[in-house]
Amino acid sequence: MNTSVKIGNTEFTNPILTASGTFGYGKEFAPFMNLDAIGGFCTKGISINPRKGNPEPRICETSSGMLNSIGLENCGSAHFLETILPEIAGYKTRIIVNMYAQSVEEFKTLTEILDAEKRIDCYELNLSCPNVKSGGISFGTDPKIVEEVTSTVRKTTDKTVIVKLSPNVTDITIPAKAAENGGADAVSLINTLAGLEVDVKKKQFALGNIIGGLSGAAIKPVALKLVWQTAKAVKIPVIGMGGISKLDDVLSFLMVGAAAIQIGAANFINPSISEELAVELKSYLQSENKTLQDITGILL
Amino acid sequence: MNTSVKIGNTEFTNPILTASGTFGYGKEFAPFMNLDAIGGFCTKGISINPRKGNPEPRICETSSGMLNSIGLENCGSAHFLETILPEIAGYKTRIIVNMYAQSVEEFKTLTEILDAEKRIDCYELNLSCPNVKSGGISFGTDPKIVEEVTSTVRKTTDKTVIVKLSPNVTDITIPAKAAENGGADAVSLINTLAGLEVDVKKKQFALGNIIGGLSGAAIKPVALKLVWQTAKAVKIPVIGMGGISKLDDVLSFLMVGAAAIQIGAANFINPSISEELAVELKSYLQSENKTLQDITGILL
Amino acid sequence: MSFNLVTPIIEKKVLNKDMFIITVNCTEKPLAGQFVMIRSVSKFFEPYLSRPISVYDWKDGRLYMLIKIVGKGTELISNLSIGNIIRVTGFFGTNYPINGKKLLLIGGGIGIAPLYYAAKEAKTEKTEFILGFRSKDDVILKEEFSAIGTLNITTDDGTAYFKGNPVNYLNENLKEIDNETVILSCGPKIMMRGIEKALKEREIKHYCSLDTAMGCGMGACLGCRIEVDGNSKLICKDGPVFDAETLFNERRK
Amino acid sequence: MSFNLVTPIIEKKVLNKDMFIITVNCTEKPLAGQFVMIRSVSKFFEPYLSRPISVYDWKDGRLYMLIKIVGKGTELISNLSIGNIIRVTGFFGTNYPINGKKLLLIGGGIGIAPLYYAAKEAKTEKTEFILGFRSKDDVILKEEFSAIGTLNITTDDGTAYFKGNPVNYLNENLKEIDNETVILSCGPKIMMRGIEKALKEREIKHYCSLDTAMGCGMGACLGCRIEVDGNSKLICKDGPVFDAETLFNERRK
Ligand SMILES: Cc1cc2nc3c(=O)[nH]c(=O)nc-3n(C[C@H](O)[C@H](O)[C@H](O)COP(=O)(O)OP(=O)(O)OC[C@H]3O[C@@H](n4cnc5c(N)ncnc54)[C@H](O)[C@@H]3O)c2cc1C
Ligand SMILES: Cc1cc2nc3c(=O)[nH]c(=O)nc-3n(C[C@H](O)[C@H](O)[C@H](O)COP(=O)(O)OP(=O)(O)OC[C@H]3O[C@@H](n4cnc5c(N)ncnc54)[C@H](O)[C@@H]3O)c2cc1C
Ligand SMILES: Cc1cc2nc3c(=O)[nH]c(=O)nc-3n(C[C@H](O)[C@H](O)[C@H](O)COP(=O)(O)O)c2cc1C
Ligand SMILES: Cc1cc2nc3c(=O)[nH]c(=O)nc-3n(C[C@H](O)[C@H](O)[C@H](O)COP(=O)(O)O)c2cc1C
Ligand code: FES
Ligand code: FES
């Protein structure tokens, strides 16, 4: 049963990937699952220099979900290349480095730093982070900047370039088309929904950073709608994510047009869920006597 | 313990209101609660002429929430004035008529039709409905139209005018300020988040209309963030709603700056929840020896 | 008068792997065919919506509910034990007309639930049931139903009683049913439509109880709307009992 | 070796209205001070995150967890019965150093949980406990703890044993504690900070176990980060056991 998916020049053995920030650098999950059982995984968002991230508390539980304001704490590109990549280079699964930068130049520099590394298969550009140059409003909201960042990275690398979109926009198809025009191999969506929680007893915000990103089953309907809308608006593959926790969720995203999916916060609930869903998807396709292409996009 | 709140020229006995579309026309809940125990309620969205609404299925359960694509089925302004209003006129609680129209002229006409009715205390303009004139994109996304609709209605009535905002925008403070400039007495937010669900077994969309509105506990963090943001951006009162199901939720919205709150889908879980929360709010304030104003906006 | 109770389960009887009966105190008296909305009461809102459940029986201030485990909500309720608290709101919906001289109650699967109380409340000369089950070991409540009417059982796989579904049984016995008989039915739509087709040349009244996912159950959310004869009806308020002839309009074809 | 078990509760002991012990089979052997992430397994994701729970005891392939009902998650687990399935993942975190000649284990409230297994695993000449409770009827597991060390109990309201909290007890008995003693503590932050203050002029080693809400418990979400001596540490991975001196740096003041 062939479940492989081609995105850009990267062949994934199956469409089950894991989402940035919820899978560490992969090795944290090795004790619990066979990393080669999934198509690939996204690393924590990497920036040129290490980042401390936001003040505590940084996570807070919500109804059927969680808020996080980690603030993209990461080890920085140098440490990633020298220490972390060698530890995960041995796996066969595809490695997608999620990139975090605060200007077009930074995205270019970061790509150049990483590009020599053969073992990195794809880049996922996190465009929902604040663009310091334009007063902190996120990159993802201005199509011109989305296109500029995408085409700049496109010219700097032959690796597969995935542009990750934020749901906190009026019309997500605008940044999606801008990424397509910029030469992206695919778009991935959705990043977290902006939200906050109040600790009523302490009469304080629950998160140190006040605003955080909402993930988990609660946001799945919003993610499905935006994936369906985007899959109809662009020709490049769409990678869907947002609240995926069971096989039906995987199938829902595939049916509305996602070529592959990413599992995020559900990795915290069951560290081997991504492998389990890859196995369940195969047996579903076998029992229905269908190929992946048979169900992808049937509701478009 | 005085818990009253003044919005425009309307005095509410307490800040607990119920949301349009989740409280019918009020009388459906009379067998289960004392309607005068809450500050007021919003009617189902009323349009000039009766509307059939969307095809079935029209509701679908989600994780900690529900999707609806009712499509603003309602009895129309004439039937509302002749048959329904007389049945609820006897209650003391404030009556807020939620208005649904597809053009500025229609909003004006609808206001004129309703305005003679003394028993109607406020209007809540539902600006998250599609604006047929501008190709169905919702009113709420274009600040010019928001301001035009608001000022048109403002000039047509002395009743309290509340403008209800959709969360499906990049920056909700833009339509909020436009409503303020148009002369709105208050803004109320959030309306539902756009979303969809898939019935995997039937390989179909769960809703007849494909896209529906997401309500319930799942969306509360998003609603809190948008209410906090809006309360900081405008001077007029903000009425907060989105997933309110328990006292802590009411307090959270008040603390981030809501002058009053609306309970929506939770009315389906417990038909007397709005009365219960009004009672619980009073005893909370008594036990904390605080007035409503003491806790409203302490986190702004 | 309506009620909105937060009340403990006082009795629980497991009939087979997916059917059980739970009992709560409820002083209000229901009409035949009415239903309640129930949910487990906890700090969580999962599943979010309450579930519509018919009155299976009501006596001495006690409400009995026959429940089949279908999905998340009914499964959660099935895991509750005596003493656990549930919210029960009701009674909702219109009633089965039960003043007919002769009653024929046709139920499919869990559709049998509202038929017991309806038959018990009816003052008729002749009460007969056709109850359809998948197979022998799915058959439940035989004594209860036969105590209040002539019970004919069908099993789809024929492992016992009449082989076939209730509509097959009806078609084979149509001649014995006179025009004074009123048919009350509940079950899958295809069964109710099948009954209508069987009654094509007949003047027999047939009321059916519809099943659909519900938001509020009390006429507020407009989620259960269907079109009957071109106009909007709410299954929870204008139903769940409808005149099958107008609903399916199979007889004029 | 790590494990990710979906396994039934095989034993449950209720100690008082908000404390209980549950047991599951678990062949892996933990180190003193390590913890697991547990959640009830159901179709719903409420509460969403798993809860970090220390190893209270481990013997003959069985893991014992002492749990205090605080909020939604611990309450849900408390309602489970023998046979109900839970997910248990672990073992996470660093261990208490237990090779000291003399051990003084100080616990406050539910903080006593990791101290039992730590003391049992330690090969020491002298093991002593100071366990603090709110009042007399909150005192639990007296036999268990006194069987493996000298047990001193404090109650905030003084209704039994020493009146005051563990730090008051420590201050009153500081002289008898020689510098060879290693202190292991777990409980509210103010208690651990209080111990550090008491040890101002002393060269006594003190390791404390921190408590915080956790997302993954396995070093992937970065949600449990704290700053120790200016650099980023993860409570779930670089802790939960920390050198209290560096953490609170009360001794240099
Ligand atoms: C007026 C009325 C009276 C009823 N009386 C009874 C009764 O006495 N006993 C009893 O066991 N059940 C009764 N039902 C059906 C019962 O409400 C559904 O079985 C229940 O809502 C399913 O909920 P769930 O959480 O188990 O399934 P879900 O987890 O919600 O869904 C599981 C699957 O069942 C489907 N489904 C959900 N709701 C319904 C529904 N209402 N009908 C058919 N399929 C559905 C879903 O589409 C899904 O595919 C009645 C329904 C109505 C409308
Ligand atoms: C390493 C470690 C080991 C632990 N070992 C044990 C143990 O052996 N036995 C035991 O009973 N508990 C232990 N805890 C604490 C336990 O994890 C929390 O009590 C639990 O997570 C609370 O979850 P809840 O759903 O009951 O509370 P929630 O419903 O999540 O919250 C209720 C209230 O408690 C607060 N709260 C939530 N989590 C924590 C927390 N971790 N610490 C303090 N307050 C919290 C919340 O802010 C809220 O105000 C341990 C915690 C850690 C980090
Ligand atoms: C703790 C946490 C950290 C995250 N960090 C990142 C990140 O560094 N970069 C990024 O693009 N997305 C990040 N995300 C977003 C996820 O990749 C994903 O887009 C989002 O959580 C929705 O998917 P889910 O509901 O399956 O989690 C993070 C999410 C969580 C919960
Ligand atoms: C079944 C249903 C019908 C609704 N109808 C309307 C409507 O007619 N007009 C409107 O402005 N909002 C309508 N809403 C949105 C609610 O008023 C409210 O803004 C939203 O549900 C968020 O609040 P909640 O999470 O508390 O339900 C409806 C919501 C539901 C669930
Ligand atoms: S279920 Fe809400 S109106 Fe019928
Ligand atoms: S709890 Fe996730 S990294 Fe520590």
Side-chain angles (χ1 to χ4, degrees):
Chain A
M1 167 57 75
N2 173 354
T3 56
S4 69
V5 185
K6 191 99 192 299
I7 293 178
N9 55 29
T10 309
E11 179 94 18
F12 296 94
T13 52
N14 65 54
I16 310 285
L17 316 176
T18 54
S20 172
T22 68
F23 210 67
Y25 299 100
K27 56 181 171 44
E28 295 85 344
F29 283 79
F32 297 102
M33 59 177 277
N34 166 14
L35 291 179
D36 293 340
I38 57 176
F41 68 87
C42 295
T43 66
K44 181 60 193 163
I46 305 278
S47 45
I48 298 174
N49 304 314
R51 284 175 57 87
K52 264 238 173 104
N54 292 326
E56 302 89 67
R58 295 163 126 194
I59 53 167
C60 154
E61 192 171 71
T62 70
S63 296
S64 291
M66 65 177 287
L67 276 170
N68 96 77
S69 61
I70 304 297
L72 286 143
E73 171 175 351
N74 74 93
C75 57
S77 50
H79 180 79
F80 173 71
L81 290 176
E82 285 137 29
T83 323
I84 300 196
L85 195 55
E87 278 177 43
I88 51 177
Y91 294 107
K92 284 197 230 59
T93 191
R94 293 287 164 262
I95 296 177
I96 304 164
V97 172
N98 178 292
M99 293 214 276
Y100 170 80
Q102 303 202 298
S103 69
V104 180
E105 301 67 35
E106 262 190 39
F107 269 110
K108 186 173 192 307
T109 317
L110 185 51
T111 312
E112 284 156 354
I113 295 173
L114 298 170
D115 219 40
E117 254 316 324
K118 291 274 159 306
R119 193 53 194 80
I120 297 176
D121 301 293
C122 321
Y123 298 124
E124 181 182 57
L125 316 185
N126 175 5
L127 293 196
S128 25
C129 33
N131 176 345
V132 169
K133 284 269 167 36
S134 42
I137 333 151
S138 101
F139 277 94
T141 41
D142 180 343
K144 276 191 252 59
I145 302 186
V146 170
E147 185 163 348
E148 199 192 334
V149 169
T150 308
S151 62
T152 307
V153 173
R154 177 66 292 157
K155 294 191 198 84
T156 321
T157 179
D158 300 329
K159 295 181 194 296
T160 300
V161 174
I162 303 166
V163 173
K164 184 170 185 181
L165 304 173
S166 155
N168 303 309
V169 288
T170 307
D171 180 354
I172 203 165
T173 63
I174 295 174
K177 284 188 214 123
E180 186 174 42
N181 301 343
D185 293 303
V187 283
S188 65
L189 58 140
I190 57 171
N191 209 316
T192 52
L193 290 174
L196 67 84
E197 278 279 2
V198 173
D199 183 325
V200 170
K201 250 179 288 168
K202 296 181 186 149
K203 295 191 170 68
Q204 284 172 314
F205 290 109
L207 296 176
N209 187 57
I210 300 181
I211 293 181
L214 184 63
S215 304
I219 71 170
K220 193 187 69 169
V222 177
L224 277 171
K225 182 249 179 188
L226 294 173
V227 165
W228 178 66
Q229 222 181 341
T230 304
K232 290 196 298 178
V234 296
K235 290 185 203 56
I236 55 177
V238 172
I239 301 173
M241 77 191 96
I244 293 176
S245 332
K246 53 185 184 317
L247 181 64
D248 272 7
D249 302 334
V250 177
L251 297 172
S252 300
F253 276 90
L254 293 173
M255 289 180 184
V256 295
I261 60 98
Q262 291 183 24
I263 297 162
N267 292 312
F268 303 152
I269 293 181
N270 169 8
S272 55
I273 191 159
S274 53
E275 179 174 0
E276 287 170 18
L277 289 182
V279 169
E280 282 177 45
L281 176 62
K282 260 191 216 100
S283 37
Y284 169 84
L285 291 174
Q286 259 142 6
S287 65
E288 294 265 323
N289 194 355
K290 290 246 173 24
T291 67
L292 194 55
Q293 284 58 31
D294 289 342
I295 56 166
T296 305
I298 56 170
L299 293 178
L300 277 177
Chain B
M1 167 57 74
N2 173 355
T3 57
S4 71
V5 184
K6 189 95 191 295
I7 294 178
N9 55 26
T10 308
E11 179 96 19
F12 296 93
T13 51
N14 65 54
I16 310 285
L17 315 176
T18 54
S20 172
T22 70
F23 209 67
Y25 299 101
K27 54 180 172 44
E28 295 84 344
F29 283 78
F32 298 102
M33 59 176 279
N34 166 12
L35 292 180
D36 293 341
I38 57 176
F41 68 89
C42 294
T43 65
K44 180 62 195 164
I46 305 277
S47 45
I48 297 175
N49 303 313
R51 284 175 58 87
K52 263 234 169 107
N54 291 326
E56 300 90 70
R58 294 163 128 193
I59 52 167
C60 155
E61 191 172 72
T62 70
S63 295
S64 291
M66 65 176 287
L67 275 170
N68 96 77
S69 61
I70 303 297
L72 285 141
E73 170 175 351
N74 75 92
C75 56
S77 49
H79 180 79
F80 173 72
L81 290 177
E82 284 138 29
T83 322
I84 299 198
L85 194 56
E87 280 178 42
I88 52 178
Y91 294 107
K92 284 198 230 61
T93 191
R94 293 287 165 263
I95 296 178
I96 305 164
V97 172
N98 178 291
M99 295 214 276
Y100 170 79
Q102 304 202 299
S103 70
V104 180
E105 300 67 35
E106 264 189 37
F107 269 110
K108 187 172 192 308
T109 317
L110 185 52
T111 312
E112 283 156 355
I113 295 172
L114 298 169
D115 217 43
E117 253 318 324
K118 291 274 159 312
R119 193 53 192 81
I120 297 176
D121 301 293
C122 321
Y123 299 124
E124 182 181 57
L125 315 185
N126 175 5
L127 293 197
S128 23
C129 31
N131 175 345
V132 169
K133 285 270 167 43
S134 39
I137 337 151
S138 104
F139 278 93
T141 41
D142 180 344
K144 274 192 255 55
I145 301 187
V146 170
E147 185 163 347
E148 199 193 333
V149 170
T150 309
S151 64
T152 306
V153 173
R154 176 67 293 157
K155 292 193 198 81
T156 321
T157 179
D158 299 331
K159 294 183 196 295
T160 300
V161 174
I162 303 166
V163 174
K164 184 169 184 180
L165 304 173
S166 155
N168 303 308
V169 289
T170 308
D171 180 354
I172 202 165
T173 62
I174 295 173
K177 286 191 211 118
E180 185 175 44
N181 299 343
D185 294 302
V187 282
S188 64
L189 58 141
I190 56 171
N191 209 316
T192 51
L193 289 175
L196 67 83
E197 278 279 2
V198 172
D199 183 326
V200 170
K201 250 182 285 165
K202 295 181 186 148
K203 294 192 170 66
Q204 283 172 317
F205 289 110
L207 295 176
N209 188 55
I210 300 182
I211 294 182
L214 184 64
S215 304
I219 71 170
K220 194 186 70 171
V222 176
L224 278 172
K225 181 251 180 188
L226 294 173
V227 165
W228 178 66
Q229 221 181 341
T230 305
K232 288 197 297 178
V234 297
K235 290 186 203 56
I236 55 176
V238 173
I239 301 175
M241 76 192 99
I244 293 177
S245 331
K246 54 187 185 310
L247 180 64
D248 272 6
D249 302 335
V250 177
L251 297 172
S252 299
F253 276 89
L254 293 173
M255 290 181 183
V256 294
I261 60 98
Q262 290 184 23
I263 298 163
N267 293 313
F268 304 152
I269 293 180
N270 169 7
S272 55
I273 192 159
S274 52
E275 179 174 1
E276 288 170 18
L277 289 181
V279 169
E280 283 176 43
L281 176 63
K282 253 185 221 109
S283 37
Y284 170 83
L285 292 173
Q286 260 143 3
S287 66
E288 294 266 322
N289 196 351
K290 290 243 174 11
T291 67
L292 192 57
Q293 284 59 31
D294 289 341
I295 56 165
T296 305
I298 55 169
L299 294 177
L300 277 179
Chain C
M1 254 295 292
S2 311
F3 56 89
N4 176 15
L5 302 170
V6 176
T7 185
I9 294 175
I10 54 173
E11 255 175 17
K12 179 176 175 181
K13 218 164 65 178
V14 178
L15 304 176
N16 59 32
K17 65 169 178 38
D18 52 23
M19 291 274 201
F20 61 98
I21 295 180
I22 51 170
T23 312
V24 292
N25 288 318
C26 173
T27 49
E28 293 302 320
K29 184 177 189 316
L31 298 174
Q34 288 196 309
F35 66 97
V36 288
M37 295 294 279
I38 66 169
R39 63 181 307 115
S40 137
V41 174
S42 88
K43 289 215 180 79
F44 310 118
F45 300 102
E46 279 288 277
Y48 193 73
L49 298 173
S50 299
R51 282 5 186 190
I53 297 291
S54 307
V55 172
Y56 164 66
D57 192 7
W58 182 89
K59 55 180 187 291
D60 328 325
R62 291 181 163 207
L63 169 65
Y64 298 79
M65 296 171 269
L66 168 65
I67 300 180
K68 180 180 179 202
I69 301 176
V70 168
K72 294 178 287 190
T74 46
E75 191 197 337
L76 184 79
I77 307 272
S78 74
N79 293 332
L80 298 178
S81 21
I82 292 182
N84 285 162
I85 305 289
I86 61 173
R87 182 180 295 278
V88 186
T89 335
F91 288 107
F92 297 122
T94 50
N95 57 300
Y96 276 124
I98 50 168
N99 36 32
K101 271 238 232 65
K102 290 180 194 144
L103 265 190
L104 173 58
L105 303 104
I106 307 179
I110 189 59
I112 69 172
L115 303 183
Y116 181 75
Y117 183 66
K120 241 182 69 180
E121 288 290 295
K123 309 282 176 291
T124 74
E125 289 162 25
K126 185 167 169 289
T127 300
E128 200 168 339
F129 296 101
I130 310 176
L131 303 184
F133 299 91
R134 251 199 322 263
S135 92
K136 196 161 70 62
D137 17 13
D138 292 315
V139 178
I140 49 168
L141 303 169
K142 237 173 57 149
E143 301 71 30
E144 288 80 353
F145 275 95
S146 15
I148 56 172
T150 325
L151 175 59
N152 309 295
I153 297 181
T154 75
T155 55
D156 301 340
D157 64 5
T159 45
Y161 313 103
F162 176 89
K163 180 171 186 346
N165 63 45
V167 174
N168 310 134
Y169 184 94
L170 180 69
N171 279 318
E172 287 191 21
N173 298 280
L174 215 46
K175 290 179 263 25
E176 288 118 40
I177 304 167
D178 62 44
N179 286 353
E180 276 183 323
T181 308
V182 172
I183 296 181
L184 306 181
S185 76
C186 183
K189 258 200 180 144
I190 38 158
M191 180 192 88
M192 298 192 268
R193 187 180 289 278
I195 295 170
E196 274 302 296
K197 282 187 178 150
L199 301 177
K200 205 156 251 174
E201 281 81 28
R202 299 297 299 272
E203 287 315 314
I204 294 183
K205 269 284 160 209
H206 167 210
Y207 301 93
C208 62
S209 179
L210 290 187
D211 180 356
T212 179
M214 287 191 170
C216 68
M218 49 186 279
C221 79
L222 308 184
C224 67
R225 200 260 345 231
I226 51 163
E227 267 199 28
V228 178
D229 242 356
N231 29 40
S232 259
K233 294 283 179 204
L234 296 178
I235 293 187
C236 74
K237 205 163 187 189
D238 310 313
V241 175
F242 288 93
D243 179 323
E245 194 172 347
T246 17
L247 189 70
F248 292 102
N249 108 43
E250 283 289 342
R251 303 207 194 172
R252 265 165 247 113
K253 278 185 205 133
Chain D
M1 254 295 296
S2 311
F3 56 89
N4 175 15
L5 302 170
V6 176
T7 185
I9 294 175
I10 52 173
E11 254 175 18
K12 179 176 176 184
K13 217 163 68 177
V14 178
L15 304 177
N16 58 32
K17 65 170 177 41
D18 51 23
M19 290 274 201
F20 61 97
I21 295 180
I22 51 170
T23 313
V24 292
N25 288 316
C26 174
T27 49
E28 294 299 322
K29 184 177 190 315
L31 299 173
Q34 288 196 307
F35 66 97
V36 288
M37 294 294 278
I38 66 168
R39 65 182 303 113
S40 136
V41 174
S42 88
K43 290 213 178 85
F44 309 119
F45 300 102
E46 280 289 276
Y48 193 73
L49 298 172
S50 299
R51 284 1 187 192
I53 297 292
S54 307
V55 173
Y56 164 65
D57 193 7
W58 182 89
K59 55 180 186 298
D60 329 327
R62 290 181 162 206
L63 168 65
Y64 297 78
M65 296 172 269
L66 168 65
I67 301 180
K68 181 180 180 203
I69 301 175
V70 168
K72 293 179 286 188
T74 46
E75 192 198 334
L76 185 77
I77 308 272
S78 74
N79 293 332
L80 298 178
S81 20
I82 293 184
N84 284 160
I85 305 290
I86 60 173
R87 182 181 294 280
V88 186
T89 338
F91 287 107
F92 298 122
T94 51
N95 57 298
Y96 276 125
I98 48 169
N99 35 34
K101 269 236 229 71
K102 291 179 193 149
L103 264 190
L104 173 59
L105 305 103
I106 308 180
I110 189 58
I112 69 171
L115 303 184
Y116 181 75
Y117 184 64
K120 242 182 67 181
E121 288 292 293
K123 311 280 174 285
T124 73
E125 290 160 25
K126 184 166 171 289
T127 301
E128 200 169 337
F129 296 100
I130 309 177
L131 304 183
F133 300 92
R134 249 197 325 252
S135 91
K136 196 160 71 60
D137 9 2
D138 293 318
V139 179
I140 50 168
L141 303 169
K142 241 177 59 176
E143 299 74 30
E144 289 80 353
F145 275 95
S146 18
I148 57 172
T150 324
L151 176 59
N152 309 294
I153 298 180
T154 75
T155 56
D156 301 341
D157 63 4
T159 44
Y161 313 105
F162 176 91
K163 180 172 185 346
N165 62 47
V167 175
N168 309 135
Y169 185 92
L170 180 68
N171 279 319
E172 288 192 20
N173 299 279
L174 215 44
K175 289 181 261 31
E176 285 121 40
I177 304 167
D178 61 47
N179 286 353
E180 276 183 325
T181 308
V182 172
I183 296 181
L184 307 181
S185 75
C186 182
K189 259 202 181 141
I190 39 159
M191 179 190 91
M192 298 192 266
R193 188 180 288 277
I195 296 170
E196 275 302 297
K197 282 184 178 152
L199 301 176
K200 208 155 246 172
E201 283 80 27
R202 299 297 299 271
E203 285 316 314
I204 295 183
K205 270 281 159 214
H206 167 209
Y207 300 94
C208 61
S209 179
L210 288 186
D211 179 356
T212 178
M214 287 191 170
C216 69
M218 49 186 280
C221 78
L222 308 183
C224 67
R225 198 256 353 226
I226 52 162
E227 268 200 30
V228 178
D229 244 353
N231 29 42
S232 256
K233 294 282 179 204
L234 296 178
I235 293 187
C236 74
K237 204 162 188 188
D238 309 314
V241 175
F242 289 94
D243 178 322
E245 194 173 346
T246 16
L247 190 71
F248 293 103
N249 99 53
E250 283 291 340
R251 302 207 194 172
R252 264 166 250 111
K253 275 181 205 143

